[in-house]
Amino acid sequence: MHEYVELKLEPNTYYNYESTIRIHIIPHLGKYKVKSLTPHVLQQFINLKSREGYARQTLSIIVGILSKSLNHAVYPYKYIK
């Protein structure tokens, strides 16, 4: 977050990403190590959020944040292969 979003995006975008991560992602996925986040785990999480009644736009934002984060975990940070 701090090395990418804070430097490259607007302050409101940073706030929105931070709150989405804090409210939605960390409570459900924070217990997993990055290497153990499988497609199945991620799909279950998105399905849960959908069943909770969140709008498609909210789900799209969550998926986008997860996708960008995991892509950065692969490259350039090399936390996962």
Side-chain angles (χ1 to χ4, degrees):
M1 269 284 284
H2 300 292
E3 294 183 26
Y4 182 80
V5 176
E6 191 171 17
L7 298 175
K8 298 186 186 239
L9 302 176
E10 295 295 320
N12 282 343
T13 304
Y14 176 85
Y15 172 77
N16 290 335
Y17 283 14
E18 186 276 329
S19 63
T20 299
I21 292 167
R22 182 174 31 84
I23 293 168
H24 297 289
I25 296 173
I26 289 176
H28 294 282
L29 299 177
K31 61 187 172 196
Y32 293 94
K33 292 185 184 266
V34 175
K35 292 181 179 185
S36 64
L37 287 174
T38 64
H40 179 71
V41 169
L42 296 171
Q43 187 61 56
Q44 283 184 321
F45 169 65
I46 295 302
N47 291 347
L48 171 67
K49 289 296 174 183
S50 179
R51 282 192 300 275
E52 288 176 354
Y54 287 98
R56 287 184 187 204
Q57 181 63 28
T58 302
L59 297 175
S60 178
I61 291 167
I62 292 170
V63 168
I65 291 171
L66 286 170
S67 176
K68 194 72 162 176
S69 299
L70 291 170
N71 283 336
H72 273 81
V74 174
Y75 182 82
Y77 301 115
K78 298 181 182 177
Y79 293 133
I80 54 177
K81 293 182 182 182

